[in-house]
Amino acid sequence: MKKIFLLVVAACLLFGIRAMSQGRKLNVYGIGFYNLENLFDTCHDEGKNDYEYLPGGTNKWNGFKYKNKLDNMSTVLAEMGTDVIPNVGCAIIGVSEVENAKCLQDLVDRKPLAERGFKFVHVEGPDRRGVDCALLYNPKLFKVSDVTLHPYVQELEKDSTFFTRGFLAVSGELADEQITVIVCHWPSRFSGGFYRESAARQVKVIKDRLIKENPDRKVFVMGDLNDDPTNASMTKYLKCKASIERTDDDSMYNPWYNVLVKEGRGTLMYDGGWNLFDQIVMTPNVLDRDKTKDYKTLKYYKNQIFRRDYMIQTEGKYKGSPKRTHAGGVWLNGYSDHLPTIVYLVKEAR
């Protein structure tokens, strides 16, 4: 019964795409993001504060738990995008809170991702805990051409010894077009808003430079931004707009603003309320701003908070929130404290 329902949903979505394109055949591409919540292996990395994720650490992290974590993460990552693109899923998925390249290799080697041939991009960063951002991609759909980890630069002199995640910019070709994905994990809420506003200023400089070099390049900024779409880091400093009509060449479009504000949905729960930190925003050249319905180039179609029942806590104090790996010092064999997000693009098939 469940399979029949999913087939009906997929058929309705595809019908909607075809109707939107006035009978033209459109290809659909998914770009996602997922905070993997502490994907650590069981070995110590020199210079990193990873001790809680060692066999003798507070989480008593061992090979059995690590294997289960990989299985759980690979299941979600492989299912992301399949509501709209069955049997294909996302072409690109940014991830955060990954310890190292070994974890990423172990992840893409799991059967759900290995069957699609997923690869990864990773640059070791300066974070003291050792958590980095990375990019997973299907090489049949996305061809990588350039990778740069832009460091987070402290704007306050007194913080010159503070190190945090940089901004991983991955450029390449999707559907024969040049795109760049900037994967971020901005400073935590405990750091104060200034540090995320600083991150937004720095990411905007990177985005502006990329567009200046190639105005046709489509740029996506994604990540666990530790801010909601309504915060100043997004609205004032990255200049994200909540509606397509309000965007201009200096701004970005944020499809998540109304998801949080008008629909009350989010990607992580705190004190019984939803936040939406996991965002994917885009440059205006991805939008059909003039409503011409010209899909000869990649155009934004829709967005989605990806969730499955198995990803949600069903009992106890945190019922209804994303099911974590640990909670209250107890191993739950869960997934992540965040839900993934996806944006879908369409382009007329040749």
Side-chain angles (χ1 to χ4, degrees), residues 205-217 219:
V205 169
I206 298 168
K207 182 268 295 183
D208 289 346
R209 186 186 307 127
L210 288 165
I211 294 297
K212 184 176 181 180
E213 292 172 355
N214 179 4
D216 293 328
R217 181 189 305 275
V219 180

Side-chain angles (χ1 to χ4, degrees), residues 63-80:
F64 177 77
K65 292 179 179 179
Y66 178 54
K67 175 185 175 298
N68 277 270
K69 178 74 171 178
L70 292 170
D71 287 339
N72 291 348
M73 295 294 93
S74 62
T75 295
V76 176
L77 291 162
E79 287 195 29
M80 286 173 61

Side-chain angles (χ1 to χ4, degrees), residues 110-137:
R110 309 312 289 178
K111 185 177 180 181
L113 296 177
E115 287 181 340
R116 295 190 195 152
F118 261 78
K119 305 293 183 183
F120 68 88
V121 172
H122 169 258
V123 179
E124 187 69 30
D127 185 85
R128 292 281 173 82
R129 287 185 64 235
V131 290
D132 296 325
C133 294
L135 190 82
L136 308 180
Y137 66 97

Side-chain angles (χ1 to χ4, degrees), residues 31-33 220-222 255-256 278-282 341-343:
I31 297 179
F33 174 79
F220 300 84
V221 175
M222 64 166 62
W256 309 101
D278 307 87
Q279 301 172 58
I280 306 171
V281 301
M282 64 203 76
T341 48
I342 308 168
V343 297

